[in-house]
Amino acid sequence: MTQHNAAHYDADTPPYYGPDRDEDEIDLGELFAIVAGGKWWIGAATFVAVLLGAFYAWTAERMYPADALVQVEQQQQGLGSMLSEELGEMLGGETPVAAEVELLKSRMVVGRVVDELNLTVHAEPLRFPLIGDALARGWTPDEGQRFAAPWFGFDAYAWGGESITVSRLDVPNRLVGKPLTLVARDGDRYDLIGPEGDVLAEGGAVGAQFEADTRYGPVSVFVQEMQARPGTRFAAVRRHRNRVIAQLTSALSVSEQGRQSGILKVALEAESAAEAAEKVNRIVQAYQRQNVERRSEEAEQTLSFVRQQLPEIRETLRAAESQLNEYRSEQGSADLTKETEIVLQQNVELEQKRLELQQRRQEALRRFTADHPVIESIDAQLRRLESNLDEVSGQVRNLPETQRQLLRLTRDVEVNTQLYTSLLNTAQELQVARAGTVGNVRIVDQAVESLEPSKPRSSLILALSGVLGVMLGVVYVFIRRAMQRGVLEPGEVEREVGLATYASIPFSPLERKLDRLRIRKKAEGGQSLLAITHPQDVCTEALRSLRTALHFALLDAPNRMVVITGPSPGLGKSFVSLNFAAVLAEAGQRVLVVDADLRRGHMHRIVGVPRAPGLTDCLSESSTLAESIHAVEEQPGLYFLTTGTLPPNPSELLMGEHFKEILAHIQHRFDYIIFDTPPVLAVTDAAIIGRLAGTTLMLLKEGEHPVPVLKDSLQRLRQGGVSVRGVVFNMVGRTPGKYGGHYGYRYGYTYTYKSVKK
C-alpha cells in the first residue's frame, strides 16, 4: 500500500502495489503497446489509403515522355582567314551552352512549334468525371462495336473509341479561352454549343468549313474528322497563343548531358506518346533551323558589306597605279633603292593592317555602339598602328625627294592591291558560307514514342499511400490516446474515489480464440472457459489473486453473495463472473453463477445450456430451482442459473419478495453466489441486487471510463443503498476502445452519459 493512499483503506482492504509512474518519462514499451493495440485502426487507415492511392493511380491522367539529343558544336566556322577573331565570333564563333538552352525555350522557337502544330486549337471528347478517362483507356473494341456503351445512362459522355480533329477554330475575342461544345449528330454533322449552354449554330458538316454568325460574333469551324455516336459531346476551345507557348515552355526540360559536353537533352511529357514525340522533334528542328538561318543571315550581312567596299577599293587601286606610272614617266623609269624597299615593306604592312582595322570597325559599328568592348579593342589597335606609322614616316622623311615620292606611290599601289585581293577572297568565302551554312547545331537522336507512361508511377503511389496510411493510423491512435479521459491505472481510482483495486486482469488472446472456437464449433459447457482449459494462463492467475483478496474482504460481509457490475456494457462481466466462479470451484467451493441480466443475458451460450427454465421462471413459479440450476460438468462444484424467459418487467420481478426468498434458499446450498448484472448507468437492476448482496465489485475496463463516469456509477449505487467494496480492472494491456463520454446500453432505450466540465 502506498503511503498517500493509506487513508482510504481499512484493515481488511487488500493493498495494491503498482509501479511508480513518472509523467515526464517516455516509456518506449508503452508507446509500442499503444501502436500494437491500435493495429486494427492502423490497418484500416492503411487499407483506405492504399485503396485511395490505387483509385488515383487508376484514374490519373497518363503522361508519356519523349526526349531528343542535340549537339552544340563548340568550334569556329571558317569564313575566311582575313577575318579577325572578334568579327569571327560575330559570324559563327562559340556560343555558351547556357545561351543555347535559353534559345531552345524561347518564344521564337516554341512559338514556331505552336503555330506548326496548331496547338491553339484544342478539342477532345467529354468524359465522365473521375472515372471516364480510366474506363475509356481500358475499353477495347469488339466486333461490330466501334464505341463503348454508355454507363449509367449518360449517353452524352464519351466512354471509349471516340475521336475528333479540329483543324480550324476562329472565334471572337470574347470566346478565346472559353470552352465550346460540339454535339455529334447523324450523317457526320454536329451542332455548336456556346459556353453558357446556348446553341450557337446547327448543322455543321465534317470535312467542310462551317461559318456562323452568333451573338458573340462570327465563328468559323473546320472539323476534319469526328468518330462518335450521335449525341456524344466534344469540348473545343481556342486558346490564347501566349498561354499555350507558356504552358509548352514550362513542360519543356532542357539540360546538358555531362559537364561542358555540348550535348543537350530536350524532353517533355504529353498525354499521348505520339504527341510527346512530335512536339519534341518539332522543337529541336525549329531550333536547328533558326540556328542555320541566323548564321546564314550573318554571312549575308557581311557579304553585303564586302560588296559595297570592293568598287571603292578597285577605283582607289586604279588611281594609285595611274599616278605611279605617270611619276615614273616623268622621272625616267626611276627605281627604288634597297633602303627604300625595306621602308616600303614596313609601311605597306602597317597600312594594310590599318585599313583592315578600319573596315572591321565600320562593320562592327553596324552591330555595336561606340563604347562596346569590340569597338574599344579595334580603336586600341588602331592607336598602336598609328604610332608605328609615325616612326616609319620619320624614316621616310630622311629619304631623297624622288625616293619619297616613289615610295609613297608604290606603297599606295601595293596596299590597295593586297586589300582588294583580300576582299575578293573574303567575298568568295562568304558566298560559299551563305550557300552551305549548316550551323553549329546537330540533332543526334530524334524523339521516339514511349511504350510506357512515366506518370502516374503506380508502384510509388501505392507505396507512398501505404506509408501515409500507416502514419495517419499511428497519429490517430495517439490522438485518441491523448484525448481519452479513461482511467488507466488503479492508483488513479484510489486517488479519485477511494476504492481499492482487488485485481488487475490482463487481456488474454486465448480468450478471443475460445470465443471464435465456441462460435465456429459451437463448443458446449466448460470447454469454452479459460480458467478450465488454460489454468496456467496469466489471466487465470489474476483471477486466483482476486479469489485470495475477496476471501479476506468477505470475512465481515453479511453473506457470500458477490455482485459484479460496471458502468457500461462490453466490459467482460460475463467472462469475469464465469471464470472467477470456476477458480472458486477449483478450490473446493460450491459456487453458483446467476445470469441476472434479465434483458440481454447471454451466459447460457457460453455454458452451453438453454435459456429457460431459469431465474425468471422461478420468480414466476413456472419452474423450480432444481429444474433451473445446471451443473457445469467440466468443473465440479460449479453451477449456473440462466436468466430464464426474458420478461417485460425485470426490475419489478427483482424487487419482489419472491426474489428474496429464492436468495435465502440458495444461500444455504452454495458457498458463493456470483451475480452478473446489467450496467449501472443503463438500468437499476444492479442496485436492486447489490442491496441484498454482501459484496459488490465494480468492473472497469482499462482506459474505457473517465473518472466522472466512475463517480456517477458509484453515486447511483450508493443512492440505492449499495456499498461498493472495490474495483476490478479487466483487459489490462489492451488498447482502449471508445474514449469520451458516450456510453449506450440498449434494452429498447439508450442511456447516454456526458461528462460536464467543472
Side-chain angles (χ1 to χ4, degrees), residues 28 87 139 196 211 383 401 666 732-733:
L28 295 180
L87 195 54
W139 179 79
E196 298 179 359
E211 297 181 354
R383 287 193 293 270
E401 178 63 24
I666 60 178
V732 176

Side-chain angles (χ1 to χ4, degrees), residues 477-733:
V477 168
F478 278 100
I479 289 177
R480 290 176 66 247
R481 182 78 176 197
M483 294 180 63
Q484 68 165 312
R485 299 180 180 274
V487 179
L488 294 175
E489 57 182 14
E492 190 174 355
V493 177
E494 298 169 6
R495 292 191 299 269
E496 296 292 341
V497 298
L499 289 179
T501 300
Y502 277 78
S504 295
I505 303 174
F507 170 73
S508 177
L510 294 175
E511 174 61 21
R512 178 179 296 176
K513 294 181 180 179
L514 290 174
D515 289 341
R516 295 173 180 173
L517 179 65
R518 183 179 68 251
I519 295 173
R520 184 169 62 252
K521 296 184 178 182
K522 297 182 179 180
E524 298 181 355
Q527 294 179 2
S528 59
L529 294 183
L530 181 67
I532 297 176
T533 58
H534 298 83
Q536 303 301 323
D537 187 73
V538 63
C539 186
T540 306
E541 293 296 334
L543 291 172
R544 290 193 181 99
S545 65
L546 175 61
R547 178 186 64 187
T548 303
L550 191 62
H551 172 75
F552 293 101
L554 291 176
L555 293 178
D556 59 347
N559 55 56
R560 293 295 183 94
M561 292 188 296
V562 179
V563 171
I564 297 178
T565 186
S568 62
L571 306 180
K573 296 188 300 296
S574 299
F575 165 77
V576 173
S577 299
L578 284 172
N579 285 274
F580 178 56
V583 170
L584 290 173
E586 182 185 19
Q589 307 291 332
R590 286 174 56 84
V591 184
L592 174 65
V593 180
V594 180
D595 189 353
D597 189 347
L598 304 184
R599 291 173 172 82
R600 294 183 61 184
H602 63 281
M603 295 177 66
H604 63 282
R605 300 174 186 171
I606 303 176
V607 178
V609 297
R611 181 187 292 275
L615 177 59
T616 57
D617 300 294
C618 296
L619 293 175
S620 61
E621 298 183 354
S622 61
S623 177
T624 63
L625 284 173
E627 296 173 343
S628 302
I629 295 177
H630 304 272
V632 179
E633 298 179 357
E634 288 76 11
Q635 180 59 60
L638 180 59
Y639 299 87
F640 176 64
L641 177 61
T642 66
T643 60
T645 305
L646 298 181
N649 54 347
S651 299
E652 288 74 7
L653 287 177
L654 295 176
M655 294 177 64
E657 292 297 328
H658 194 34
F659 179 63
K660 297 179 182 178
E661 294 175 359
I662 291 177
L663 294 183
H665 179 72
I666 60 178
Q667 284 186 63
H668 300 290
R669 297 179 53 187
F670 299 96
D671 298 317
Y672 292 95
I673 303 174
I674 309 297
F675 289 91
D676 178 23
T677 64
V680 176
L681 297 179
V683 292
T684 60
D685 297 10
I688 296 173
I689 302 175
R691 186 170 58 248
L692 303 176
T695 301
T696 299
L697 296 177
M698 180 71 70
L699 186 67
L700 300 178
K701 187 176 179 181
E702 182 189 43
E704 182 78 12
H705 310 290
V707 173
V709 174
L710 179 57
K711 291 183 178 180
D712 193 8
S713 302
L714 295 175
Q715 181 66 22
R716 295 198 182 191
L717 290 174
R718 289 167 182 166
Q719 289 175 352
V722 179
S723 177
V724 179
R725 177 73 65 164
V727 173
V728 176
F729 266 80
N730 191 27
M731 298 187 186
V732 176

